[in-house]
Amino acid sequence: MTVSTQGALATQAPEAVLALAPDANRLKGRVALITGAGRGAGRAHARLLAARGAAVAVVDIDEDVARATSAEIAEAGGRAIALAADITDRALAERCVAQVAEQLGGLDILVHNAGLIYSMTGLEQTDDANFDRLLAINVHAPLYLTRAALPHLRQSRAPRVIFINSQWGQVPDGHSYGYMVSKAAQLGLMKTLAKEFVGEGILVNAITPGAILTRMVPDQYIEPEKANIPLGRLVHPEEIAAAVAFLASDEAAFIAGQAIPVNGGALLVGI
């Protein structure tokens, strides 16, 4: 279904949206750990949380991009450290959390952003190794990190765990088994964590975007994706970051166990 959209909201630049509410001190004094934060959407999350006052740990498997994003934040007047780690390794994930808490003085906000797609294949073409790798990055790694972070989150005034999931975790498209299944499992993990820890004040939620305008979406898929989105475009990383910043803030203190769609209305037409 192709939807033609009129009006400013369909084409408004994300920079203009974010400029409406800079809120420079909203997250002052808090520490955020963001995985996959060296580039793409993770970089946008790191930049915005830092701009709103949080000290940010930029965690990425690629040390060079982690350092580049950390340096960019520092140059803008923020506080950030860069850590390189394969968070699918439990020992490395646990060490990563310990380093963040030691170097930045605690941990208040944990953002599970790291992710992969690999291939868009049917069942018979699904590679076992790729399937396992996607489960590792989308399910095992968040479990390891959250478990390691618990002692620090329990000491936080406003503890938050935020998953960057996908609309395809809610409505699968009939292929890309590793991605679809791992994202659905990730939502189950989010809800289970939310239910277990909400009584302790640890708020766990997810954001379920559609296709984000990053390198994870190959050029040949951009136009077909746009045709399925009522607002007529892909979501920008900065718009996902705005949702992350909201969930990390005091304004979201009564939200727990929710999967918040940021997809331009794609679910309205059944994607």
Side-chain angles (χ1 to χ4, degrees), residues 9-60:
L9 286 178
T11 56
Q12 192 171 17
E15 292 81 4
V17 175
L18 299 183
L20 296 176
D23 297 317
N25 294 315
R26 178 179 287 189
L27 300 176
K28 185 176 181 180
R30 300 182 199 180
V31 175
L33 186 165
I34 305 171
T35 65
R39 56 166 62 94
R43 173 176 169 269
H45 308 333
R47 292 176 63 203
L48 184 57
L49 294 192
R52 295 194 175 176
V56 176
V58 179
V59 178
D60 203 289

Side-chain angles (χ1 to χ4, degrees), residues 198-219:
V198 68
E200 297 185 48
I202 300 174
L203 305 184
V204 185
N205 292 286
I207 297 165
T208 57
I212 307 174
L213 199 57
T214 68
R215 68 179 193 142
M216 284 185 69
V217 180
D219 290 345

Side-chain angles (χ1 to χ4, degrees), residues 30-168:
R30 300 182 199 180
V31 175
L33 186 165
I34 305 171
T35 65
R39 56 166 62 94
R43 173 176 169 269
H45 308 333
R47 292 176 63 203
L48 184 57
L49 294 192
R52 295 194 175 176
V56 176
V58 179
V59 178
D60 203 289
I61 197 169
D62 185 331
E63 184 174 5
D64 290 339
V65 298
R67 288 187 179 278
T69 297
S70 177
E72 186 179 11
I73 290 170
E75 289 171 7
R79 184 183 178 201
I81 61 171
L83 294 175
D86 180 354
I87 54 173
T88 64
D89 181 311
R90 184 176 66 184
L92 294 179
E94 292 171 350
R95 185 186 306 168
C96 180
V97 170
Q99 287 178 303
V100 172
E102 179 180 354
Q103 294 183 40
L104 294 179
L107 181 57
D108 305 280
I109 304 160
L110 177 57
V111 182
H112 297 302
N113 171 79
L116 298 168
I117 291 182
Y118 274 130
S119 59
M120 301 182 73
T121 59
L123 177 61
E124 293 172 304
Q125 295 78 38
T126 295
D127 179 82
D128 290 350
N130 288 350
F131 189 90
D132 290 343
R133 179 63 178 168
L134 283 158
L135 284 173
I137 193 70
N138 288 331
V139 182
H140 297 171
L143 186 148
Y144 300 152
L145 288 164
T146 306
R147 186 165 55 198
L150 272 176
H152 308 291
L153 294 173
R154 284 174 168 143
Q155 294 178 29
S156 171
R157 179 181 68 80
R160 304 284 192 270
V161 179
I162 303 166
F163 287 79
I164 308 302
N165 192 260
S166 170
Q167 67 186 21
W168 291 289

